Every structure is written in structure tokens, then in C-alpha cells.
Amino acid sequence: QLMRSKRTSQRDRGSHRHPFRLDTRTPPRDGALSSTMIGLEEIRRCDEHPDVDFSDENEVKRFVRPGKWLSLDAGNIRLLRINWVSTGLAIALLWGFVIAALADPAEMSAELGSWKTWVSRNTGWLFIAAFNVWVVFLLYVAFSKYGNIKLGKAHEKPEFNNISWFAMLFSCGIAVGVYTFGVAEPMAYYRGGYNLAGRGPLYNDDDRAQLAMMQTFYHWGFHAWAPYIVVAITLGVVCYRWNMPLTMRSAFYPLLGNLIFSPIGDCIDAVAIACTTFGVCTSLGLGVDAITAFGNRLDSDIKTDVDAKTWTIVVMTLVANCSVILGLKKGMQILSTITFSLGLFALLATLLLDNTWYLLNSYVQSIGHYLNYMIQAGFRTDSFEQLTYDFSSAANMFAGTADTDGNGGSPLYDAMAKANALVDFATVADADLIGTSTAMEDGDFTTVYGSHYAAMMDWWTIFYWGWWVSWAPFVGMFIARISRGRTLRSVITGAFIAPTLFGFLWLCVWGSLGIKMQRAAELALSDGTYIANGSGPDCDAFGYTGTVPTSDAAISLANDGYYLLSCRTGNNMLFDVMSPYGEVKKFLWAILLVGITLYFITSSDSGSYVDDVISANGMAKPPIMQKIFWCWTEGGVAIALLIVGKDGNALEAVRAVSIVAGLPFTLMLCFMCTSVWRALKIDAGDEDICQATQWSTGVLDIADAFNVRPANAPAEQRYSAAERAQNLATAVFAPFIGVFKACESEYGVGAPIAKVQAVCNALFFYIWFALLCMSGEDRQWAWLGWTFFLFHVMQITGLRASVRESHGIYGNLAEDLLVCLCLYPMAVSQLHFQVQEPKANNDVYKKPDQA
């Protein structure tokens, strides 16, 4: 019997090259059928079926509930082909925000700024941890057996050659950033007053310069590309191997099954469209600032006011329209190649015009420093530096420690200030505190402990991570679109290594030139008493009034092309580092202006293309009118915000929206990792998932009114909606009943351990509820109550893991914990129905008559 089982297992493994055939030959065990399951027999795998032409409306409609598809023509002209639910939600989010900004821009900007700060300070650990997990996960996938899986048929060749693929990849993923931050970011770390200790050695100003480059690399390196690649490979596998439409909801099919056709899928697509548009508008704002500043540098008659920026966006949007209408191959591919070539020309020219050996030395050294300290910097959260917020009278926004009256203080600060007021400062010799004459002040923490700015994470790292994540649906989908025919290994390693190394060269050359110019100006304009300490030198003392050189020495140095960059604006710094090159400089300035303009256009047309495809539910060639609409929506949002926020507040609000939107999408990306992992295992025919039982009910079935079904077919539900709703209500208010039933299934009817488990669950649950009710006067009771809730969650998690294993259901403890933490009533209800199903029987040693 054992040998026969082994032979059967071997035959099954051979057939797993086509896991969907496995579903029809070996149906799930009794009790496993559910409308929420992944219908393997319904998926048309690319190696087993003809290509699906998603430019055909009938093919797209297979993946849309009939009432959600809107098709509108004017004679023979196609006007609209959209999923009106997801598109309407996205438009409501976008234009709702614009209307609110128009109504009260100052209030909107302040409110969103507050949200941004709250997200940065309370969930910074989540951003930092998630980005590290994504990098490790992607590298594991790339070098595992799944790395050979191709995004398309086994014999399929890449649609774009390597040069065009890389040009579009780089143009879409980095775009305007290297122009706006290439010099400004390293200079901010070098002379912005940041103490970067803790991210590497810091003994002198040379170390400070090196840390400035390393921190810049960290923000633009492997971590930055991770969210893009997660989206790209997930969509690539599901859409190009399983022949599903290229839309964000498809990425969650391996995890959610038919629920992607429910309102959950509509919300996923709507958030993806909104995130894409907000992210692009943030870059458009940065880009138009740089374009007008560069133009003014070339010709002082060119204005930099709101009207000039508005007309710049109009013209750029018109050009982007032409690119979008021409399509991916004729439009965006050509523009991306030209743009990439111009940037490469400017980069190589500066590399050769200046001290080439210094720049190459800096590049090699900086890469080594980055690789050496990448892990240390990658896990840095500035936990001790941010204690200053706990010790602050007005800057505390940490959940649990900040005052509930919203004044930004904390009970800890109140206690410290009360005690400090009793100190007799007159008797304290050589006091270290700033407030030695009166009382403790907010700045004392930095002075006493030598900490750097607590806002470092908020201003830079978390801002970047939120921004990258908000761009992930846009860039990831675009990478998936241009990567068909490539293996997972080539996509992951190519997207990690090629743009990262090239971006490092760009950032290092321009950043190193900025550091060199800063030091030259400091030495030339110093009176001999200046000692670099990381803070920018006093501009007045060095001959600058504001950002303009005014002393004879500063003017003389500027005439020769050298500026004190710490006293200049960010948009001027890039032009400044090219000023020493004599007559060549204006030619390079023109190249930079054209380059950043084209990057502006490629960002706009790429974003419009992605918005258009998602709104059309993955339709490959939507009507031209839709393309134009999304292109002008992006331009219109940016223009409206410029007009409203003449002081830049509106664009700062959009920047904050990108970060705030990055939080939920960070969670979505974590689920996406789980989704693509399941997809890869299914595609490879792994037995642990292909032959596993599935849950008889889903925890999110309520989102589809307990009638989860394919897009265009009915499905028989194992339990009625009334049964499901009644049991869910019981689980909300009396979860111990479901816990007791599940424990009886595991330990036997009437088992004492089942009764003990039920009693403990009831105590945890009702004590939690009681303490929440008592927390009106003292919130400490609430946090104690949440501690009981966590024990309630852990108990259900352990029970769910036990039931899952005894029923042969694929999953892991992390998934169990997350489900129970966020959806405990659904988890308890799911257990109630699952224990009514027969358990799995995997014992190969049983006698033949028992098998």
C-alpha cells in the first residue's frame, strides 16, 4: 500500500506541470467546494490555450459583472468602455479632493499635513519592515525554482529589446526625480544639519559626505524598486500566464478568488487609479517647478509664477496626449528612448568635463559603502531620536502617549515640566539644558543627547517610501506590460540591478560635484574660522543675501561658476554644478531642460495609460477618448492645485496624499506577496496547495452579500445568506460559542478542554469590552483592554491553525494571525462552518480496507 501510494504520488507530480488539469482529474475532498475557491478549471493557462485578445470587448466582459460594464458609442465611434463602478469611485476620490482643496486650500493642506505626520510617526516601523521584507522575498523568488517561470508562453520572446525595455523602465520608475533631487538631496544631508550617525561611521566631514551619498543611494536603491517589482511580477504571472485582464484586481485572484469581481475588486482598482494620479501629480508639481526654474536660468524673461507653470502643464499635457494616442510602441517607447538618451548625454558630459577620476572613485566607493551599510540603514527607524516627541510640549502625535486634547503634548511631558519647574537653576553649575534660566524646553533633548533631527524619517525616508508605494500600481503595471516574454528571474534582477546601478551613477556624479563645489566655496569665502560641522554655513557671513551672492568675493567666485550650494535653492543646484564649464554650460542647460520636460511627458503619458487600462477593466485598446480624458484629468488636477495653492500648499497637500495613500497600499502589497506566492505554487503544480482542501466559507464573503460567484455565472452556495448572517452576528457578540464548537471538533464532544477554551475566550472578550467602556475618564484602561483583546486574538489564531491543519487547508500561522486580528468575527464564523466538514485523511499507512 505504501509503495502504491508513492507511485501514485509520482504520477501526480508529473501531471502538476499543468495544475489546472489536476483540478478536473482529482476534485477537492467532500466539503471543500465553495464559490470562493480559485476555479482552476476556469483559468485558461497560456501554454494550454490560445492567446486571449483583451482588445476584444467580449473577452473583457467575461471578467466583469454585467451590471458594471458601460459601453457607449456615437455612431461608429467608440466613446466609452469602462467598469463604471471602479471608474466612478476613482473620479469621486480625485475630484472630491480637488473640490475640497478649492473650497479651503489652507485647511486641506494643514489637515493632510497632519495626517502625513501621524502616518510617518506611528507607522514608520511598518514602512521600514515592509520594504525589507519585499526585497528579501523578491530575491528569494528570483533564485528559487520559480525564477524560470516566464511571463507568457514558454517559447514567447520579449516584446521589447533590452535597451528599449531598460529605457522605459528607468524613465517610468525614476523620471523627474534625478533632476530635482540629484544634487539637492545629497547636499541636504551634507549641509542640512542632519547628524547621520547610526547609518555608518561619522568621524569627520569626509565621512559626512560619504554618508550623504549612502543615504541618497538607500532612498533610490533596491528598496525603492521593491514595490514596483512586487506589482509587476504579480500582474505578469496572473495576467500573462493565466490570461486574465491587466488590471489591479487581477493581482489578488490567487488570494481572493471570485471576490475580485465583488465591490472589493472595484475598490482595489479605484484606489490604484487614485494613487497613480496623485503620485503622478506630485511629480508633475516637482517637474513644472524645475522646468520653469531651468527656463528662467536660461532666459530671465521666462517667469516662474503660477500662470507660467499652468501654461507649462497645458503644453506638456498636449504633447503627452499625442504620445498616449500613438500608443505604447509608437509613442511612449520613442519618447522614453529619446529622454533616456538625453539624460545619458548630460551625465556622460559632466563625467568627462570635470574631474573624471574623482567621480569614478566616488562612484565605486559609494557603492561599496551602500552595500556595506544597506542593512544597517535599511532597518533604521530613529527610535531613540524620536523620543524627543514624547518629551515635547507640542509635537507629540504618537498614538497612546499624546494628550487626548490634541495640543500635541503628553502626560510624560507634563510630569517632566512640573518637576523641572521645581529645580533651582541658580544652584546648578554648568547646566547642560538650554532652559537654564527658566525651565525645560523642547530643544533640550537634542542638546543633551546629541541626537539629530527627529523629523529626519518624516521628512525623507518615510516620505520616500510612501511616495514609492503610491507609485507602485502605476509603475508596477507599466513594468508588467513591457516585460511580457521575460522570466521572473530576468525581470526581478533586471529591475533591481540595471536601473539601480545606472541611477547610482547619475546621483553620484551630480551629488559628488555638489559636494566638491560646496567645499570649494567654503574654502574660498571663509575667513579661516569656519569649521564644517554638518550645518550649512551662515550665508550672510559668506557673502550671500538669501540665495544670491552679494559680496565681492562671492560674486567673483560665482562669475567663475562656483556657488555656495547650501545657500542656493534645490532647483538651481543642478545648473550650478554645470556652471564652471564655460561656453559649454548653456548647451548642457538646454539638454537638461529638454530632458526634464520629456521625463515630465513620459510620466504623464505612462500614468494616463495605466489609469485608462484599469478603468477599462484591463481592455488592451480602450477608446481614444478615454485616453485623452485621463491625460487631461492628471493635467487638470495639477493645474487646479497650482491655481489654488499659489504658495505651493496645494502641491504639498498632494504630496501628503501620496504618503497617506501609501499606508493602505503598503498593506495591499504585503497581501500581494502572498497572492503571487500562491500563484507561483499553483502554476508550478506544488502538491501542498494544488491538492489542499479549501475553506468552505470565506472571511470576506460578506462583501459580496454571501453570494460569491464568477463574473458571469451563478454559483450554488453551500450555506444560505441568512445562515451566514445569523452566525456572523453571533460571532460578533458571542464569539465563545463558535470557539466552543470548533474546540469540540478538535478535542471531542464535551471535552473539558473545549469548555475551558470557551470560558477563557468569553473572559478575554468581555473584559476587553468592559475596559473599553471604562476608558472614558482614563484611557489607560483602554490599552489594558486591548491587551485582553490580543489574548482573545491569539487564542482564535491557534484554534484556526489547528482546524486548518486537521482539514488539510493550505495556509500559515501569519495569515491566521492577521485574519483573526483584523476580522475576528469572520474568522470565528468561518471556523463554525468549517468544522461541519469532514477532516482530511492523509495517512498512507492505513490498511487497504480503511484507505
Side-chain angles (χ1 to χ4, degrees):
Q1 176 67 26
L2 178 59
M3 294 302 294
R4 185 162 62 88
S5 297
K6 289 183 177 179
R7 288 194 297 271
T8 302
S9 178
Q10 290 169 356
R11 286 199 307 271
D12 288 346
R13 280 196 294 271
S15 68
H16 288 165
R17 289 171 295 182
H18 181 11
F20 313 121
R21 187 178 298 143
L22 173 67
D23 188 73
T24 58
R25 190 191 73 250
T26 309
R29 304 180 181 91
D30 292 340
L33 294 176
S34 169
S35 58
T36 61
M37 69 181 295
I38 299 175
L40 300 181
E41 75 285 352
E42 298 175 1
I43 298 174
R44 295 180 294 181
R45 191 170 180 267
C46 64
D47 288 329
E48 306 293 335
H49 294 84
D51 285 338
V52 177
D53 181 11
F54 281 111
S55 62
D56 182 355
E57 184 177 350
N58 291 324
E59 287 291 343
V60 177
K61 289 167 70 175
R62 289 183 62 248
F63 298 89
V64 188
R65 297 272 170 86
K68 296 180 179 180
W69 184 250
L70 176 60
S71 179
L72 183 63
D73 298 325
N76 295 325
I77 301 175
R78 298 188 310 159
L79 294 181
L80 290 177
R81 296 292 188 276
I82 61 172
N83 179 324
W84 68 267
V85 178
S86 58
T87 303
L89 287 172
I91 293 175
L93 283 171
L94 292 169
W95 290 102
F97 172 78
V98 172
I99 291 172
L102 288 169
D104 194 342
E107 177 63 24
M108 174 60 72
S109 179
E111 189 66 27
L112 287 174
S114 176
W115 293 356
K116 168 182 169 290
T117 303
W118 191 94
V119 168
S120 298
R121 294 181 187 174
N122 289 279
T123 64
W125 61 272
L126 175 63
F127 280 101
I128 298 298
F131 272 75
N132 284 291
V133 169
W134 298 337
V135 171
V136 174
F137 171 75
L138 289 169
L139 292 176
Y140 179 79
V141 169
F143 296 103
S144 69
K145 66 177 183 179
Y146 308 117
N148 293 321
I149 293 177
K150 183 172 284 189
L151 304 184
K153 295 183 177 180
H155 64 274
E156 196 167 350
K157 300 297 182 183
E159 186 174 0
F160 300 98
N161 62 51
N162 289 336
I163 294 177
S164 295
W165 181 75
F166 173 66
M168 287 190 285
L169 185 72
F170 187 83
S171 299
C172 178
I174 293 183
V176 178
V178 290
Y179 289 89
T180 55
F181 292 115
V183 181
E185 184 175 354
M187 285 305 304
Y189 302 140
Y190 183 54
R191 285 293 182 264
Y194 296 108
N195 175 3
L196 295 178
R199 292 166 171 82
L202 182 56
Y203 301 111
N204 54 34
D205 199 61
D206 294 334
D207 289 336
R208 185 174 291 108
Q210 188 59 75
L211 282 176
M213 295 309 308
M214 189 279 296
Q215 188 70 17
T216 304
F217 279 15
Y218 167 54
H219 288 154
W220 295 83
F222 297 141
H223 291 78
W225 283 88
Y228 299 165
I229 303 173
V230 168
V231 175
I233 66 170
T234 308
L235 288 175
V237 169
V238 174
C239 298
Y240 295 143
R241 291 197 62 78
W242 292 8
N243 281 326
M244 296 192 71
L246 187 63
T247 185
M248 195 57 61
R249 72 176 74 202
S250 296
F252 294 91
Y253 182 72
L255 188 63
L256 298 178
N258 290 322
L259 277 171
I260 67 168
F261 307 118
S262 73
I264 291 178
D266 297 326
C267 291
I268 290 172
D269 281 349
V271 170
I273 292 174
C275 282
T276 296
T277 306
F278 282 131
V280 169
C281 285
T282 302
S283 291
L284 296 186
L286 293 172
V288 75
D289 278 343
I291 289 171
T292 53
F294 288 2
N296 179 261
R297 190 70 176 266
L298 286 169
D299 184 350
S300 59
D301 290 334
I302 296 177
K303 304 297 183 184
T304 59
D305 57 12
V306 173
D307 290 340
K309 293 176 182 178
T310 298
W311 283 109
T312 300
I313 292 179
V314 170
V315 173
M316 297 302 100
T317 304
L318 282 171
V319 178
N321 264 298
C322 298
S323 175
V324 168
I325 291 172
L326 288 173
L328 188 64
K329 285 191 174 181
K330 294 181 181 179
M332 282 176 262
Q333 181 182 5
I334 295 173
L335 265 183
S336 297
T337 303
I338 294 173
T339 306
F340 177 77
S341 300
L342 288 173
L344 182 61
F345 181 89
L347 172 64
L348 293 177
T350 51
L351 179 63
L352 296 175
L353 282 166
D354 214 285
N355 186 336
T356 305
W357 320 120
Y358 155 69
L359 296 174
L360 292 177
N361 282 337
S362 178
Y363 179 59
V364 173
Q365 177 174 301
S366 297
I367 287 179
H369 204 87
Y370 167 71
L371 294 176
N372 191 30
Y373 293 101
M374 176 178 63
I375 296 178
Q376 182 172 328
F379 283 89
R380 184 80 183 183
T381 61
D382 280 358
S383 57
F384 300 110
E385 288 82 355
Q386 293 193 26
L387 276 176
T388 187
Y389 296 127
D390 260 353
F391 304 152
S392 169
S393 62
N396 192 353
M397 296 186 69
F398 287 113
T401 62
D403 283 342
T404 56
D405 57 9
N407 65 5
S410 69
L412 173 59
Y413 175 84
D414 294 340
M416 292 167 61
K418 182 171 66 174
N420 186 253
L422 302 176
V423 175
D424 184 1
F425 288 98
T427 63
V428 179
D430 300 324
D432 290 327
L433 298 182
I434 294 175
T436 52
S437 61
T438 54
M440 182 181 67
E441 298 178 2
D442 287 354
D444 293 341
F445 185 89
T446 302
T447 303
V448 173
Y449 300 108
S451 300
H452 66 238
Y453 291 154
M456 168 72 186
M457 299 298 293
D458 184 7
W459 291 346
W460 288 100
T461 302
I462 304 303
F463 159 68
Y464 266 124
W465 288 175
W467 200 8
W468 296 142
V469 168
S470 69
W471 266 56
F474 153 43
V475 180
M477 183 173 291
F478 189 79
I479 294 174
R481 173 64 185 84
I482 65 177
S483 298
R484 179 160 189 166
R486 298 179 182 271
T487 63
L488 283 176
R489 183 173 295 118
S490 66
V491 172
I492 294 172
T493 56
F496 261 143
I497 297 174
T500 296
L501 290 180
F502 184 74
F504 283 179
L505 179 62
W506 211 321
L507 294 164
C508 188
V509 168
W510 289 353
S512 297
L513 287 176
I515 292 171
K516 174 186 173 182
M517 181 172 287
Q518 176 71 17
R519 286 189 168 187
E522 288 173 349
L523 291 171
L525 301 178
S526 174
D527 60 2
T529 61
Y530 172 71
I531 297 177
N533 61 2
S535 298
D538 183 359
C539 294
D540 291 334
F542 277 74
Y544 276 73
T545 301
T547 63
V548 180
T550 51
S551 71
D552 292 339
I555 292 173
S556 173
L557 193 63
N559 289 337
D560 288 326
Y562 294 92
Y563 297 86
L564 191 67
L565 293 184
S566 59
C567 296
R568 304 283 284 172
T569 61
N571 285 327
N572 273 314
M573 288 182 182
L574 181 56
F575 271 38
D576 288 343
V577 297
M578 298 187 183
S579 297
Y581 305 144
E583 296 298 324
V584 177
K585 67 180 180 183
K586 288 195 175 182
F587 175 73
L588 292 177
W589 288 354
I591 293 290
L592 290 176
L593 179 59
V594 175
I596 194 171
T597 301
L598 291 181
Y599 268 122
F600 181 105
I601 295 170
T602 55
S603 295
S604 179
D605 61 21
S606 299
S608 302
Y609 171 81
V610 169
D611 282 349
D612 189 24
V613 170
I614 297 177
S615 67
N617 214 80
M619 193 173 192
K621 297 178 181 178
I624 291 178
M625 292 301 297
Q626 289 178 209
K627 299 178 181 180
I628 295 174
F629 168 78
W630 287 114
C631 205
W632 281 106
T633 294
E634 290 176 357
V637 170
I639 290 171
L641 293 173
L642 280 174
I643 293 174
V644 171
K646 293 185 178 181
D647 57 355
N649 286 337
L651 285 175
E652 284 298 319
V654 175
R655 187 183 183 196
V657 165
S658 296
I659 297 173
V660 173
L663 176 59
F665 213 84
T666 296
L667 299 174
M668 290 174 66
L669 281 170
C670 293
F671 287 115
M672 202 175 289
C673 289
T674 302
S675 183
V676 71
W677 184 249
R678 287 174 178 251
L680 293 174
K681 292 178 72 66
I682 291 172
D683 202 85
D686 290 358
E687 292 183 3
D688 60 345
I689 190 169
C690 289
Q691 292 189 342
T693 304
Q694 298 203 30
W695 291 101
S696 60
T697 61
V699 293
L700 295 175
D701 289 355
I702 189 175
D704 213 11
F706 301 116
N707 186 25
V708 184
R709 60 201 184 280
N712 281 282
E716 182 179 353
Q717 305 300 317
R718 193 168 184 82
Y719 303 98
S720 68
E723 288 180 284
R724 298 287 305 279
Q726 181 181 4
N727 186 264
L728 182 60
T730 301
V732 170
F733 299 104
F736 66 91
I737 296 177
V739 168
F740 178 68
K741 294 292 185 182
C743 287
E744 280 195 322
S745 171
E746 291 297 294
Y747 307 117
V749 176
I753 186 64
K755 298 177 182 178
V756 172
Q757 289 266 27
V759 171
C760 289
N761 184 265
L763 289 173
F764 293 151
F765 180 77
Y766 291 116
I767 290 176
W768 164 59
F769 185 76
L771 291 176
L772 286 182
C773 295
M774 294 171 55
S775 63
E777 295 298 327
D778 187 352
R779 64 180 177 181
Q780 305 300 332
W781 289 111
W783 295 115
L784 186 61
W786 283 108
T787 304
F788 279 96
F789 175 77
L790 290 177
F791 274 85
H792 165 73
V793 166
M794 288 187 285
Q795 182 189 25
I796 300 174
T797 298
L799 183 58
R800 189 176 193 267
S802 177
V803 171
R804 177 173 50 76
E805 291 176 4
S806 64
H807 285 257
I809 299 171
Y810 177 80
N812 56 66
L813 191 61
E815 293 177 8
D816 297 329
L817 177 60
L818 188 61
V819 167
C820 297
L821 181 64
C822 302
L823 303 166
Y824 85 85
M826 289 76 164
V828 172
S829 179
Q830 184 184 57
L831 291 174
H832 171 85
F833 289 108
Q834 186 62 44
V835 297
Q836 299 179 35
E837 310 293 337
K839 293 184 178 181
N841 186 349
N842 296 317
D843 188 357
V844 299
Y845 294 98
K846 287 189 175 181
K847 296 179 181 180
D849 59 348
Q850 296 176 319

